[in-house]
Amino acid sequence: MTSRWQPPRLRLFDPAPRRATWLELLYDLVFVVAVAEVADVLAGSDPGRVPTFVGLFVPIWWAWAGYVFYANRFDSDDVSHRLLALPQILAVAAMAASVSDIAGRSALFAVSYVAARLVLVAAYVRAGRHVPDARPLTTRYAAGFTLAAAVWLASLAVEPPARYAVWAAAMVIDLATPLLARTQQGRLPPQSEHLPERFGLFVVIVLGEVVAAVVTGLKGHEVTPGVLLVALAGVAVAMAFWWLYFGHVDESVVLRTRLAGQVWVYSHLPLSLGLVAFGIGIEHAIEHPSGASWAVGVPAALVFAVLGVQHLCSGDRRAAAVRLGAAALTLATAALPVPAALALILLYGAAQVLGDLRRPITEGVA
């Protein structure tokens, strides 16, 4: 930080490579807690936990993504930028504190999310004032996010479960705002090396939930050889997911085409959902190793499928076909008992890793 007070500036043309700042890492820390809290919702026994988990995870992920995209273009890492980021951290912490009792704390969750978004809107308004070239984009973002925040506030006028339907409408507006600003994004594209790093860090966060779920499952269950094998297989599959994702960190996909870049960005939402759900599925499998493996197989299939879509975004049709094929096989075997299904999922993952290692290294693929 060369000066304590700096106006927002475009980071697109910075000569030095961008890396995550200490503030961004602090920002990620609160999402470690938020993801853990929303994962506990899925770990419950209520049959309606899956839609509740998805409905809570989406705004949490979008709150994270909103700050990432602002920082990607305008981060000045000065006092004013930090003063705009820290209230968002507090707001997300309040969201995390709400999810365990969402029926009783839905108003707190909504108000906290609105607070995080309005601080982001203020940051975009400020960026538009100081960076005239960015004004068409910042105006679109500020207008769309403000409208969504207004709908979130309007949800307080109705009681659950009708309130949740209003939240869904607000999230549609939120998620659609960047899609409706594609022309402005084309004139002000994101910085390509910074964005994959930031999304990769969130993937690390959700992969950590797999390990946390395994530890939680082992703590609450007698550790027999069979249970230990299930736990180790779950961690091994998570390592395969890690390898397949980070073995193909393609920075060029961000700018390949606007459509490919946006599909790549939004694909991280189902990818993160799948990884967290897989971890909770392993926790359930440790508790009930003789049951069917739907809670493990369906999330694993989702992860493989999203990895295939990401390869399509990079133009690698061969790898995409392999990933999508693995997704189909995983889904087809999801009704098998847990040990058999986990063994097959691990086999599918390991085979893909070995196949990638046999391929020649190409530019843009790590």
Side-chain angles (χ1 to χ4, degrees):
M1 187 169 62
T2 58
S3 174
R4 289 198 177 107
W5 298 93
Q6 297 181 39
R9 59 188 177 89
L10 276 179
R11 302 300 302 271
L12 177 60
F13 305 109
D14 280 6
R18 286 281 307 280
R19 289 295 177 259
T21 65
W22 296 117
L23 178 60
E24 288 177 304
L25 296 178
L26 175 64
Y27 192 79
D28 287 354
L29 184 61
V30 73
F31 285 92
V32 175
V33 178
V35 170
E37 288 295 320
V38 78
D40 285 346
V41 173
L42 188 60
S45 57
D46 182 0
R49 65 186 184 275
V50 174
T52 302
F53 162 70
V54 174
L56 294 173
F57 190 93
V58 172
I60 288 174
W61 181 85
W62 192 240
W64 175 86
Y67 174 76
V68 166
F69 275 99
Y70 174 83
N72 177 267
R73 290 185 172 97
F74 303 112
D75 181 8
S76 55
D77 198 23
D78 69 322
V79 172
S80 59
H81 178 79
R82 295 178 181 185
L83 291 177
L84 285 169
L86 293 177
Q88 294 182 64
I89 293 176
L90 296 175
V92 173
M95 291 172 66
S98 308
V99 298
S100 62
D101 181 22
I102 194 61
R105 298 184 176 182
S106 59
L108 177 60
F109 185 88
V111 170
S112 301
Y113 179 76
V114 168
R117 301 304 286 174
L118 290 182
V119 173
L120 182 65
V121 167
Y124 272 119
V125 170
R126 181 169 177 263
R129 185 163 59 88
H130 288 282
V131 187
D133 290 343
R135 200 164 295 156
L137 179 65
T138 59
T139 300
R140 284 289 189 100
Y141 278 8
F145 296 154
T146 299
L147 176 60
V151 177
W152 273 90
L153 287 177
S155 73
L156 300 178
V158 296
E159 295 295 326
R163 178 174 294 169
Y164 306 143
V166 180
W167 289 4
M171 282 310 306
V172 169
I173 298 171
D174 248 338
L175 292 166
T177 294
L179 298 176
L180 298 176
R182 292 178 63 192
T183 301
Q184 291 75 21
Q185 288 175 352
R187 297 174 187 147
L188 197 71
Q191 196 176 58
S192 58
E193 75 272 6
H194 176 254
L195 213 56
E197 180 189 29
R198 296 296 292 122
F199 277 89
L201 287 170
F202 197 87
V203 171
V204 169
I205 290 173
V206 292
L207 279 170
E209 283 304 309
V210 179
V211 179
V214 168
V215 172
T216 300
L218 290 176
K219 283 171 58 179
H221 196 282
E222 182 182 357
V223 181
T224 63
V227 166
L228 189 59
L229 284 175
V230 169
L232 292 176
V235 174
V237 171
M239 292 173 64
F241 290 151
W242 171 86
W243 198 304
L244 293 173
Y245 179 87
F246 287 100
H248 184 76
V249 179
D250 181 10
E251 295 178 354
S252 66
V253 69
V254 177
L255 302 177
R256 185 167 177 254
T257 67
R258 286 199 295 272
L259 178 60
Q262 286 184 324
V263 171
W264 180 84
V265 165
Y266 281 83
S267 71
H268 283 81
L269 175 54
L271 177 67
S272 300
L273 282 166
L275 289 171
V276 175
F278 176 78
I280 300 303
I282 292 297
E283 185 179 338
H284 289 163
I286 291 172
E287 296 173 358
H288 308 286
S290 61
S293 60
W294 291 106
V296 172
V298 173
L302 177 61
V303 172
F304 283 137
V306 174
L307 292 174
V309 170
Q310 291 183 345
H311 277 283
L312 281 177
C313 293
S314 297
D316 190 343
R317 295 184 179 180
R318 174 184 169 185
V322 171
R323 305 288 188 266
L324 293 171
L329 288 172
T330 300
L331 196 59
T333 57
L336 294 175
V338 167
L342 265 179
L344 288 173
I345 294 169
L346 182 56
L347 176 64
Y348 304 149
Q352 291 175 82
V353 170
L354 291 174
D356 286 356
L357 290 175
R358 294 174 63 87
R359 296 181 66 182
I361 297 176
T362 58
E363 183 179 356
V365 179

